[in-house]
Amino acid sequence: MLAVMRYAFFLAAAAASALLAACAHRTTPDITPPQTPAAWQHASSGAGAPSDTQSDARTGADGAQERIPAEWWKQYEQPALNAAVAHALAHSGALANALLKLRTADLRAEAAGAALRPTPSGNVTASVNRPVTGSAQRSTRSYGVSLGASWEIDLWGKLGAQADMATFEREAAVLDGDQAAATLAASVVRQYWQLAAMQERIRVARQSLAHAERTLSLTQAQHAAGAASGLDEAQAAQAVQTQQVALAAQQQQRTEMRHAFAVLLDAAPGHLPAGIAEPDGLPQNAAQLAARAQPGAGVPASLLARRPDLRAAEWRLRGTLANVQAQKLSFYPALSLTGTLGTGSASLLKILSNPVAALGAGLSLPFLNAGEMRRNPQIAQNEHEQAVNTFRQTLLQALADVENALSSTATQRDAVQRQAALAAQARRIDEMTETRYRAGAVPLRDWLTAQESRRQSELAEVDAQLNLLLAQVQLYQALGASAGGLNAPAPAPTPDTQ
């Protein structure tokens, strides 16, 4: 009777296994990115279009795929900037953390792969027994040694799916490191240009202060000679004080920017690393440098293969798909094999004289837990569908980032030209108003107004140059520029999770 019950039990388990195996094939949502436009909407304005000398280096054999130079900041021809970025990439704590995360992902992938292989075990025992009552209180000793191995056979691919999940996360961690390096490089370039622009603003403020002081000296001399009123002298003194306050505020902003720049380079505030110099100001040919450094945007469809953050998101999306499979397969019967070889003896010298071998097999039936069998796969499926929606929105936002950066660079390039013309015109008006004031044709207030208009126009010119450079940095980031090697398109993830 007992034999019949055992036979029936194993027959039922085998039937259930066959039924689940027949249902093992599952249909899962495809990872389909949103349809991308054939071309960038704002590329026709000139932003993102490489020059004739750049086209050969930036397009592939078919002319369809752009290549962005990894060390793109070197196109600005600023040795101090190049040194700062190189130092940041070599000493950044953020990159060190990214490396630690990658090592952790490596270890987890290794651990997940180890589950597919037999797990060895060993044991050494020694004991002494002595009765606490009775006439015979003689001690007895025993010694034992055993070696064993256990192995869960991956009949349905559950362990393989779990190993895929760890592998996908490891690939995503690699791309996270690429993204961290790219973000750091862009942050250094951005901070460098902001500090350079602040130096230019201080230069303009000092020139304006010197101009106001000369005006005050002239007005004081005229007042002493009776050619100017006390009101003129007071207005000139007020202009000097206004310029002094503005200069002090800008110098404070520069101090804060210097501290932020030092921290970004992993140095104490106020102490730049050896060999690193802060910028003296914006390059005189900033617009020309920006034009030469303008990247080719390529086609929108290439963005997914280019940006490390999107590629990392795709690997993680595939990880959620593998998790759906792993959760479904986790309720299939699991077959485990065990084997041990051991020996024992009352004498340590005879411990190897009585070896014993044992083999075993176990079959677990997790599908009997109907509640978890229904809930867990559905939870994993919901998480995967959420990840699909998030990935689509992230990709759409990345496309919008590129479009915004392309539009911004075109707008700022035009603004630089206009502000340069306005600044030149303001300087000419200032000079003409000074001549008319000295001739007594206009009051001092008109000249002071012209001086302030000149100062504001020169500051606006500096801001326009800075905005153009920052927009270009943002464009490089949006396009997925890396910080090492040529950021050539990488093949899409291909591991099969079906």
Side-chain angles (χ1 to χ4, degrees), residues 216-246:
L216 176 59
S217 298
L218 174 61
T219 305
Q220 289 174 337
Q222 290 178 336
H223 183 218
S229 65
L231 177 61
D232 291 342
E233 182 178 355
Q235 289 176 337
Q238 183 185 35
V240 170
Q241 294 173 354
T242 300
Q243 300 303 324
Q244 289 173 340
V245 171

Side-chain angles (χ1 to χ4, degrees), residues 70-307:
E71 297 180 331
W72 50 270
W73 53 88
K74 291 187 175 180
Q75 298 177 98
Y76 295 116
E77 302 174 359
Q78 301 288 306
L81 174 60
N82 299 340
V85 175
H87 182 90
L89 292 175
H91 299 87
S92 171
L95 294 188
N97 286 338
L99 180 59
L100 291 174
K101 291 179 180 179
L102 174 57
R103 291 175 179 172
T104 300
D106 279 334
L107 294 174
R108 288 175 176 169
E110 181 182 345
L116 294 168
R117 299 185 295 272
T119 302
S121 61
N123 190 27
V124 177
T125 61
S127 63
V128 178
N129 299 322
R130 181 182 179 87
V132 295
T133 61
S135 58
Q137 296 186 358
R138 185 177 178 181
S139 299
T140 60
R141 294 177 174 82
S142 63
Y143 305 92
V145 176
S146 65
L147 296 176
S150 62
W151 182 25
E152 180 180 349
I153 301 178
D154 194 19
L155 293 175
W156 320 112
K158 178 192 71 173
L159 299 180
Q162 293 173 345
D164 284 344
M165 291 171 56
T167 300
F168 295 160
E169 181 59 32
R170 191 266 176 195
E171 296 297 332
V174 173
L175 294 168
D176 287 343
D178 294 344
Q179 178 65 21
T183 301
L184 177 63
S187 298
V188 173
V189 176
R190 188 180 292 109
Q191 190 70 33
Y192 180 90
W193 287 135
Q194 289 174 340
L195 183 55
M198 182 53 64
Q199 300 280 34
E200 290 292 330
R201 294 190 187 101
I202 291 177
R203 178 186 60 80
V204 171
R206 286 173 174 168
Q207 291 177 350
S208 298
L209 177 58
H211 200 12
E213 289 174 343
R214 288 194 300 270
T215 302
L216 176 59
S217 298
L218 174 61
T219 305
Q220 289 174 337
Q222 290 178 336
H223 183 218
S229 65
L231 177 61
D232 291 342
E233 182 178 355
Q235 289 176 337
Q238 183 185 35
V240 170
Q241 294 173 354
T242 300
Q243 300 303 324
Q244 289 173 340
V245 171
L247 176 60
Q250 291 171 340
Q251 288 175 332
Q252 174 60 30
Q253 293 179 18
R254 181 181 62 180
T255 299
E256 295 176 1
M257 287 184 176
R258 283 172 169 171
H259 294 167
F261 190 53
V263 171
L264 193 58
L265 300 181
D266 199 40
H271 299 83
L272 289 178
I276 306 298
E278 66 180 32
D280 296 329
L282 292 172
Q284 295 182 354
N285 59 339
Q288 290 78 7
L289 284 177
R292 290 199 296 269
Q294 184 70 12
V299 294
S302 67
L303 195 63
L304 181 59
R306 177 183 286 163
R307 282 183 52 152

Side-chain angles (χ1 to χ4, degrees), residues 413-430:
R413 186 182 300 110
D414 182 67
V416 168
Q417 297 176 355
R418 294 180 182 274
Q419 289 296 339
L422 288 174
Q425 187 177 15
R427 284 189 287 268
R428 183 169 177 269
I429 292 175
D430 181 27

